[in-house]
Amino acid sequence: MTSLLVIIVLVLLAVALWQLTKIFDLTQVGVSDSDNSQIATDNDNNVQGYLMFGFLAFIYIFSIYSLFRWGSLVLHTPASEHGADVDNLMNITWILIFTVQAITQVLLHFFAFKYRGKKDQKALYFADNNKLEAIWSVIPAVVLAGLILYGLYAWNNIMFVDEDEDTIVIELYAQQFNWKARYSGQDNVLGKANVRFIEGANSVGVDMSDKNAQDDFVVTELHIPKGKKIHFKMRSQDVLHSAYMPYFRAQMNCVPGMVTEFAFVPIYTSAEYRELPYMVEKVANINAIRAKKSIELVAKGQPALDPYTFDYLLLCNKICGASHYNMQMKVVVDTPEDYKKWLSEQVSLVDEIKTAAAPAPVDGAPATTDSTKTNDTAAVVKIAMK
């Protein structure tokens, strides 16, 4: 309601200003020395020329201010092996953009001032200039070709995964509005999956009749080991999502009905990245802001904000619905030893389905023997597949 009132007030102010200009025009009727020719004079052109220089100064002053004011908010040290290639490509692109922008904007505004309109002065007209056209066509073409070739080289290095390469295969499953990760287990092969199989504990639609699915397990917190290439395979249950892990310089669309892939090698554990000097400073600044905000919240009788601790995150980078902003999953980079320990604590999806399908124990009933549980495994799988 407040927004509507603000809009209405702004519209009424605009109408009032428009009416005032109409009244001012009416008051000028009959004034003999007024110039109504609507032809720019030398004074008008001088004003426009100096305004060009003023706008040029504004562009550079604001650009420099923005660099110092918000430069610290950009991503810093990459946490993956290929991240340096991505950052180099980005930095080269920025340097080229700012160099070209600095030259062209200065020339544009300088010529707009130097060749501003003057009385009895006519512009010199060229029908064409082959030399000039060749220069401004060849130089951008060569620069862009170089950027594209370097980009393709970097992209191929990042995306190429050898079939014989030693990797850990993990599926990222996107759905409105959360992520799940399915690990390929001891055989390092993901079982087949289809949305038609989603039911109960089988929340990602794994085909439990597939032998490769018997050791798969599903988690809601992603753990990966440092120094090992992780081969991600991505699916979406409903709409277009995008798996985005900014500190790993990784992003790939998750498309319904198809599997997309991305791979990278993490080079910092979560604990190591928290200890990087820039991250220590960044977390301290965030917590200072949160502490200041907490004072205001407590004064209003609301709970204070918890201190911030850095964690890698998997985010959705597509606007996929009303709760898109909250679609994230914590990513933990462990040491190889901690990762093995974490793996040993996970429960396979088969066991989760068996537990979910097992009838609740009745008081006084005899305990079920292990042999009975073994014989019931096939029945449980059939139940899960219905």
Side-chain angles (χ1 to χ4, degrees), residues 93-126:
T93 304
W94 280 124
I95 291 171
L96 288 173
I97 288 174
F98 278 114
T99 301
V100 172
Q101 187 259 0
I103 296 172
T104 56
Q105 291 299 317
V106 168
L107 292 175
L108 172 66
H109 291 80
F110 172 73
F111 286 143
F113 173 78
K114 182 178 180 180
Y115 299 107
R116 65 192 183 277
K118 295 179 182 178
K119 188 176 182 180
D120 300 327
Q121 176 176 285
K122 294 183 179 180
L124 184 61
Y125 173 73
F126 285 94

Side-chain angles (χ1 to χ4, degrees), residues 155 159 172 174 179 232-236 239-244 250-256 258-262 315-319:
W155 180 251
M159 294 301 296
L172 297 179
W179 294 96
F232 291 102
K233 297 191 176 185
M234 308 171 195
R235 289 192 300 137
S236 173
V239 298
L240 185 68
H241 298 278
S242 185
Y244 178 44
Q251 178 171 309
M252 181 60 66
N253 285 346
C254 305
V255 185
M258 67 181 294
V259 176
T260 53
E261 302 179 71
F262 199 97
L315 307 169
C316 177
N317 211 21
K318 287 285 186 293
I319 302 177

Side-chain angles (χ1 to χ4, degrees), residues 174-179 238-242 314-329:
Q175 55 189 168
Q176 294 175 311
F177 296 97
N178 65 74
W179 294 96
D238 32 55
V239 298
L240 185 68
H241 298 278
S242 185
L314 166 61
L315 307 169
C316 177
N317 211 21
K318 287 285 186 293
I319 302 177
C320 57
S323 295
H324 152 76
Y325 70 95
N326 200 35
M327 186 171 170
Q328 56 184 260
M329 179 166 67

